[in-house]
Amino acid sequence: MATDSLLVQLILLITQEGNRIRTAKAIAEAIRVAGAYRWTGIYDVDLQNGVVSNIAWSGAGAPAYPTFPATNGLTSRAIAAKKTVNVGDVASDRDYLTALSTTRSEIIIPVLDATGECVVGTIDVESEHAHAFDSAAQARLEECANILRGFWNG
C-alpha cells in the first residue's frame, strides 16, 4: 500500500463512527501492513495520572507491558521531548522495555493534542531487524501521527 493510500485510509478510519477499540485495532493493522512491520501498537498517554495504556495492537501478540508508568521505557523519552524516538539497536539502550525477545529496533512516535503542547498518544512500531526505521519510514509514521491527532482529539 502506498503512503498516500495509508494516509487516506487513516483519515477514513478516524472519521467513521464506531467503537474506539475496533478503530484503534484497524489503525494498528493498517500501519503494520503498509510498512510490512512485525508489530504495531496504539497507546493512550494519560499524563495527569502518569500512565501509558495500550488500546490495540497488530502483530505477534499482546504487549508485554499493556500499561506502564509514563516515566518508563523509550516512550518516556518520546513523551518528554514530544519527538520521535528511533532506536536502531534496542539491546544497547538502557531504557528499552523488552516486549518481544526478538525485537531489534523500535520507533515511538508521539501524537500531540490539538495545541501541540501535550502528548495524548503514541504509535509504537517494532522490528526484528536492526536499524529498520530509516528517515523515510520515520517521516511516514510521523505523518500518520499528525493524522491520528483526530483519533484522540476528536
Side-chain angles (χ1 to χ4, degrees):
M1 180 179 293
T3 301
D4 289 347
S5 297
L6 172 60
L7 300 179
V8 169
Q9 185 178 7
L10 294 179
I11 290 167
L12 291 172
L13 285 169
I14 65 171
T15 57
Q16 294 175 357
E17 291 293 322
N19 177 286
R20 185 171 190 262
I21 303 298
R22 267 196 307 271
T23 299
K25 176 75 173 161
I27 290 166
E29 178 75 6
I31 293 170
R32 187 185 65 76
V33 170
Y37 302 127
R38 183 187 55 178
W39 193 90
T40 300
I42 305 297
Y43 289 80
D44 275 335
V45 175
D46 178 354
L47 291 177
Q48 186 170 9
N49 292 309
V51 176
V52 177
S53 304
N54 182 263
I55 309 168
W57 70 89
S58 175
Y65 300 94
T67 303
F68 56 92
T71 55
N72 288 9
L74 300 175
T75 299
S76 70
R77 272 196 246 154
I79 291 169
K82 300 178 194 161
K83 292 186 181 193
T84 298
V85 172
N86 186 345
V87 178
D89 179 10
V90 297
S92 66
D93 195 297
R94 62 179 168 69
D95 290 334
Y96 176 66
L97 296 174
T98 303
L100 300 168
S101 63
T102 57
T103 296
R104 298 283 311 281
S105 59
E106 182 173 16
I107 188 167
I108 311 284
I109 304 90
V111 179
L112 302 176
D113 67 4
T115 68
E117 297 296 316
C118 184
V119 177
V120 293
T122 64
I123 303 167
D124 179 342
V125 185
E126 298 185 14
S127 175
E128 68 278 18
H129 304 290
H131 306 284
F133 308 105
D134 62 13
S135 60
Q138 181 171 326
R140 177 187 202 186
L141 290 166
E142 288 170 345
E143 287 182 66
C144 292
N146 286 334
I147 288 170
L148 292 178
R149 283 182 175 190
F151 177 74
W152 279 272
N153 300 314

